[in-house]
Amino acid sequence: MVSRFTNLIDLNDMPTEWWNEVVALGAKIADDPQKYAHECDGKIMGTLFYEPSTRTQMSFQTAMLKLGGTIIGFDNPATSSVAKGENLKDTTKIVSNYADIMVMRHPSEGSAKAAALTADCPIINAGDGGHLHPTQTLTDLLTLSKEIGRLDNLTIGLCGDLKNGRTVHSLCKALSCYTGNKFILISTPELRLPFYVKDILTAAGCEFTEVNTIEETIAKLDVLYMTRIQAERFNSPEEYEAQKDVYCLDKAKMKKGKKDLCVLHPLPRVDEIAIEVDDDPRALYFKQAKYGMYVRMALILTILKNEYPTVLLSGKVHKDICCRNPKCITQTEKYLPRSFRGSGDTLECEYCDERLLRKH
Ligand code: NCD
């Protein structure tokens, strides 16, 4: 199923040139934002945030306001008709008739794709559960291209909750599309990167290694991407307690890093970066958050041009099969076509990318 609109559900739905252009436009806007002040006069952006957010929501809102447009939406579903039991389809369908472009964050994996199937305006995925966060990746790419000057031949360390961190999944997928990037995945054995992302790295020919500590690897890195342990995605408080506070980047560890190491974090930080690191010129996370606003201005302009209708579903509907991921949007929105990629015994859910073995 191909959408009438250019949606951003997953960066990898688009060719690399598409997102390179968004990043390049973001860089131009950062140099002269005033030049774009009336590009969206008369346009309305809906922001539907079913999950907490500071940077993503506000940078999108500021981006639209800086382009001359206006905003509607909610940041707490409890104050909308969602609290009365309205399903995702109806809420997004209605708002898509009020807005020209819609930004959505939702706790279920695959929710942005589900909304795009029936919405009457383009949808931007601002985070679908622990799955993907493509606009954070655009932010990260703009930061790297501005601060390092390239997106290839980098040794990138990603540290923290690699299992549940959607920013990590999207960033790995995107950086695997540039030549010569190597990944060092720093996590506890319990919080390793999901297999489907590792398979993408392997298929792209990227080297990656899995390690347990920052100390053993920081000296090799061009980029250190820190993330928080995602408390809200754990199955029990005990499991979270066992993982929290494992990582803390402090001055002593920074001493072992290269002079031009680039330390990024999508934020919010909990305690995985000591405050004392903030004054180190290699700590770029606050700058990164500002780049996020410019790249989102670029993204809004690009999406509204509507030059790249997105393929939403390309697999086959299997009425008799359910995705086994309890966090998949198909678990709660029962009307969705159960569409899977692949053939033979292995099927992959087209909403959340979960793999399941077909039972005969
Ligand atoms: C991230 C997210 O929501 O996934 N935050 C963000 O958008 N900048 C990271 C996080 O919550 O840990």
Side-chain angles (χ1 to χ4, degrees):
M1 191 247 165
V2 182
S3 170
R4 286 180 283 146
F5 306 107
T6 303
N7 301 277
L8 179 56
I9 309 301
D10 175 349
L11 276 177
N12 298 64
D13 292 337
M14 316 295 202
T16 317
E17 300 77 55
W18 186 89
W19 77 68
N20 281 338
E21 276 172 32
V22 175
V23 171
L25 179 58
K28 272 168 77 181
I29 295 175
D31 291 338
D32 186 7
Q34 201 48 39
K35 197 172 149 203
Y36 301 83
H38 296 290
E39 294 284 321
C40 283
D41 283 356
K43 297 282 184 203
I44 296 175
M45 182 175 75
T47 53
L48 302 192
F49 277 69
Y50 292 76
E51 269 193 343
S53 173
T54 303
R55 274 149 295 273
T56 306
Q57 185 186 201
M58 290 192 198
S59 64
F60 259 119
Q61 293 177 338
T62 314
M64 191 47 150
L65 295 173
K66 277 186 179 283
L67 292 167
T70 48
I71 50 172
I72 57 169
F74 59 73
D75 57 13
N76 178 1
T79 61
S80 77
S81 285
V82 176
K84 301 178 188 170
E86 186 167 64
N87 67 19
L88 182 73
K89 178 180 180 179
D90 294 0
T91 307
T92 51
K93 179 93 183 157
I94 301 302
V95 179
S96 73
N97 281 297
Y98 302 152
D100 299 287
I101 185 166
M102 201 152 76
V103 180
M104 191 180 90
R105 170 172 288 187
H106 192 282
S108 296
E109 302 187 12
S111 47
K113 181 174 282 188
L117 287 174
T118 43
D120 291 313
C121 79
I123 301 281
I124 296 176
N125 181 7
D128 59 331
H131 186 220
L132 295 173
H133 194 344
T135 73
Q136 180 62 45
T137 298
L138 290 172
T139 301
D140 304 337
L141 296 181
L142 176 58
T143 308
L144 293 176
S145 53
K146 278 274 199 188
E147 299 295 325
I148 300 189
R150 67 177 199 278
L151 298 173
D152 55 8
N153 296 302
L154 296 168
T155 301
I156 306 125
L158 299 113
C159 175
D161 190 345
L162 309 188
K163 179 180 176 200
N164 300 301
R166 55 194 173 194
T167 62
V168 169
H169 306 161
S170 285
L171 184 60
C172 286
K173 287 177 64 172
L175 285 176
S176 75
C177 298
Y178 299 88
T179 50
N181 286 333
K182 289 185 198 153
F183 299 83
I184 303 192
L185 308 170
I186 311 162
S187 77
T188 60
E190 291 79 10
L191 298 180
R192 297 281 190 231
L193 195 67
F195 283 109
Y196 87 89
V197 187
K198 285 195 258 192
D199 287 350
I200 290 170
L201 297 183
T202 307
C206 295
E207 223 179 87
F208 70 87
T209 47
E210 296 185 305
V211 302
N212 295 323
T213 66
I214 299 174
E215 293 88 322
E216 68 193 276
T217 200
I218 190 165
K220 298 180 208 149
L221 304 177
D222 300 311
V223 181
L224 175 56
Y225 196 90
M226 296 295 297
T227 61
R228 79 184 162 93
I229 308 299
Q230 309 270 307
E232 70 277 28
R233 312 258 180 246
F234 281 75
N235 292 326
S236 70
E238 295 74 35
E239 283 171 74
Y240 170 65
E241 286 298 316
Q243 296 294 326
K244 69 170 202 187
D245 302 334
V246 175
Y247 296 107
C248 183
L249 180 66
D250 54 17
K251 261 188 173 169
K253 292 185 191 100
M254 287 294 286
K255 271 201 185 123
K256 296 189 185 153
K258 288 185 188 170
K259 275 206 185 74
D260 54 356
L261 170 69
C262 176
V263 179
L264 302 185
H265 192 312
L267 303 177
R269 145 176 68 187
V270 182
D271 47 17
E272 57 285 343
I273 301 183
I275 307 283
E276 63 185 19
V277 176
D278 295 356
D279 298 329
D280 189 308
R282 296 170 294 175
L284 297 176
Y285 28 90
F286 295 123
K287 241 177 165 180
Q288 180 186 2
K290 189 162 181 194
Y291 285 131
M293 177 181 70
Y294 296 124
V295 91
R296 288 179 172 109
M297 289 171 77
L299 179 64
I300 294 168
L301 292 176
T302 309
I303 296 258
L304 286 175
K305 279 202 281 173
N306 201 17
E307 288 173 349
Y308 201 88
T310 323
V311 178
L312 295 172
L313 299 177
S314 58
K316 205 170 154 220
V317 174
H318 292 267
K319 289 202 171 107
D320 53 328
I321 301 178
C322 294
C323 177
R324 62 169 187 198
N325 173 6
K327 295 172 182 165
C328 178
I329 189 68
T330 57
Q331 305 294 354
T332 47
E333 307 285 319
K334 298 287 185 197
Y335 53 83
L336 290 168
R338 292 181 194 157
S339 191
F340 297 89
R341 281 183 296 262
S343 55
D345 281 347
T346 311
L347 295 175
E348 215 171 61
C349 174
E350 282 210 90
Y351 298 88
C352 71
D353 295 311
E354 175 84 8
R355 289 218 186 115
L356 46 158
L357 290 176
R358 198 199 305 234
K359 289 201 181 80
H360 293 285

